[in-house]
Amino acid sequence: MGTGKRGLIATAVTVVCAVTVLAAPGTAFAAPSPSPSPSSSPSSSPTPVSNKELEDVRLKLEKLYHSAAIATDAYNAAEEAAEKQSAEIVSLAKKIVKGQEKLAELKKRAGSAAAAQYRSGGLPDEAKLMLSDDPGHFLDSAGRVIQGQRATKGLLGEMTRTQQDLEQYAKDATAQWQKLEAGRKAKAAAQKKIEKQIKAAEQLESQLEKEEKERLAQLEEEAARKAQTAWLDSGVLDDIKGKASAQGRKAVEYATAQLGKPYEWGAEGPKTYDCSGLTSQAWASAGSGIPRTSQEQWKQLKRIDVEDMRPGDLIIYNADASHVAMYIGDGAIIHAPRPGRTVTIAGAGSMRILGVVRPDA
């Protein structure tokens, strides 16, 4: 594979590096298209890909899928924010409609009060007293007029406040709309980045023969097993004795029922999931709503020590909190790993643990 296929994979890996670095939205992805070396002949058998070269491929794939996971969190966050902003806009629109109806009614009442005052003739009180045959009736009428004037003043004040409320609702709705538009752009940019990373990973894997893909899978399993063994050798399980809460058991049951379903970025079930889509839906089924993304789950949920975790708790991975899994006990997790994989059981220490959070703390 020195000048033929090996050069092809080397070129693909190089392009993958460029994609990983230049992953900003809008950057075009150029698929590698090396031409066969003139020195290679159709009859010559390809040189086997070395384990070192496959390990390079594994590391590049890991970086690509990690970048895709970060972009997926950004996409999910933008989608969640858009849902909240849309709901807020609808709520504000309803308030505006009610405010307009109230203002119309207040104006109608104010008009009636003005007409009543006009019909009274607007004479000074002294003149009305002199013209009246019944002073007591006049005084009673005067009292009602004073009350009416106070009511009218209150009516005008309520009209002013209602008008101010309408203006504020309109400003708030405009602000939410602007946020919604910005969120849509962020969501589109994140989607573009996700697709770019996944496409690059798929193209890199497509350069491998069946036997090489099998060896690559073995390298991935070996790396996970090595990390899990080191984690277990630390004696961490000796201190983990927590039992699942009632909600935790329900969340684990939900997650377990999803085993074998495909990973799909941005998905929340019921047929496909991404990592945080699985954990958020599992806990929703247990009656506890939690943030949609792994990064927000890390930020908002109560953090606990690894030694204190129990089944149902969520383990957050990577320094940027870009992956999440559910602990199910005995050092194992259920998670939706990445594109091309299915919901599966793995070792809790097979990836870099950032920390543990508890949804039902």
Side-chain angles (χ1 to χ4, degrees), residues 1-6 40-49 209 212:
M1 203 182 81
T3 56
K5 185 175 181 182
R6 178 172 296 171
S40 61
S41 61
S43 60
S44 61
S45 58
T47 305
V49 178
E209 300 293 342
E212 292 162 350

Side-chain angles (χ1 to χ4, degrees), residues 43-324:
S43 60
S44 61
S45 58
T47 305
V49 178
S50 69
N51 279 350
K52 183 181 182 304
E53 289 170 319
L54 281 177
E55 178 63 13
D56 287 341
V57 170
R58 185 187 73 80
L59 292 174
K60 300 306 179 192
L61 288 172
E62 189 176 276
K63 288 182 179 179
L64 284 169
Y65 284 123
H66 177 238
S67 181
I70 296 172
T72 298
D73 239 25
Y75 176 92
N76 291 335
E79 186 174 57
E80 187 176 34
E83 290 176 0
K84 291 179 180 178
Q85 287 152 3
S86 296
E88 183 63 23
I89 289 171
V90 170
S91 176
L92 287 167
K94 290 179 180 178
K95 288 181 180 179
I96 289 172
V97 170
K98 288 183 179 179
Q100 288 173 334
E101 291 173 350
K102 181 179 179 181
L103 186 61
E105 177 62 24
L106 290 171
K107 286 181 177 179
K108 181 178 178 182
R109 287 165 56 190
S112 298
Q117 287 183 352
Y118 176 77
R119 285 194 298 271
S120 69
L123 293 173
D125 290 342
E126 295 83 355
K128 291 180 182 178
L129 179 58
M130 290 176 66
L131 295 172
S132 175
D133 294 330
D134 186 350
H137 175 71
F138 164 75
L139 293 174
D140 184 53
S141 298
R144 287 198 298 271
V145 168
I146 291 172
Q147 290 177 352
Q149 288 174 341
R150 289 174 179 170
T152 301
K153 185 177 181 181
L155 192 63
L156 293 174
E158 192 173 359
M159 286 176 60
T160 301
R161 288 191 296 273
T162 301
Q163 185 66 50
Q164 290 172 342
D165 287 343
L166 282 170
E167 291 173 359
Q168 187 59 51
Y169 294 154
K171 288 179 182 178
D172 292 344
T174 299
Q176 290 295 335
W177 182 260
Q178 291 172 344
K179 288 180 181 179
L180 183 61
E181 287 299 301
R184 284 174 177 166
K185 291 179 181 179
K187 183 177 172 181
Q191 178 176 348
K192 197 170 185 179
K193 185 174 182 179
I194 295 166
E195 292 171 346
K196 184 190 298 290
Q197 303 302 303
I198 293 175
K199 182 178 179 181
E202 289 173 345
Q203 288 191 343
L204 179 55
E205 288 185 281
S206 71
Q207 308 298 327
L208 302 174
E209 300 293 342
K210 180 181 178 181
E211 181 270 336
E212 292 162 350
K213 290 178 181 178
E214 291 173 352
R215 284 168 55 203
L216 177 62
Q218 290 174 355
L219 286 175
E220 291 175 345
E221 291 175 4
E222 184 180 335
R225 185 167 52 249
K226 185 177 179 181
Q228 174 72 353
T229 300
W231 186 68
L232 294 176
D233 287 347
S234 69
V236 65
L237 280 188
D238 297 340
D239 298 319
I240 300 177
K241 298 180 176 65
K243 293 184 179 180
S245 65
Q247 280 190 309
R249 284 194 297 272
K250 289 181 180 179
V252 170
E253 287 171 3
Y254 180 96
T256 303
Q258 313 313 311
L259 287 170
K261 292 186 178 181
Y263 176 102
E264 181 182 7
W265 63 266
E268 300 177 78
K271 295 181 178 180
T272 58
Y273 295 88
D274 62 19
C275 67
S276 57
L278 176 64
T279 55
S280 61
Q281 287 303 305
W283 272 99
S285 75
S288 181
I290 64 173
R292 170 64 177 87
T293 69
S294 59
Q295 292 177 342
E296 288 304 310
Q297 288 170 8
W298 174 241
K299 287 179 183 177
Q300 297 185 35
L301 300 181
K302 183 179 180 180
R303 300 180 187 181
I304 61 171
D305 294 334
V306 173
E307 294 78 8
D308 295 328
M309 71 180 174
R310 64 193 186 195
D313 288 343
L314 305 181
I315 303 181
I316 309 296
Y317 292 94
N318 304 321
D320 50 19
S322 56
H323 190 67
V324 61

Side-chain angles (χ1 to χ4, degrees), residues 8 10-20 22-24 26-34 64 192 195-197 199-204 207:
L8 185 63
T11 302
V13 170
T14 301
V15 172
V16 165
C17 291
V19 169
T20 305
L22 303 175
T27 305
F29 174 78
S33 55
L64 284 169
K192 197 170 185 179
E195 292 171 346
K196 184 190 298 290
Q197 303 302 303
K199 182 178 179 181
E202 289 173 345
Q203 288 191 343
L204 179 55
Q207 308 298 327

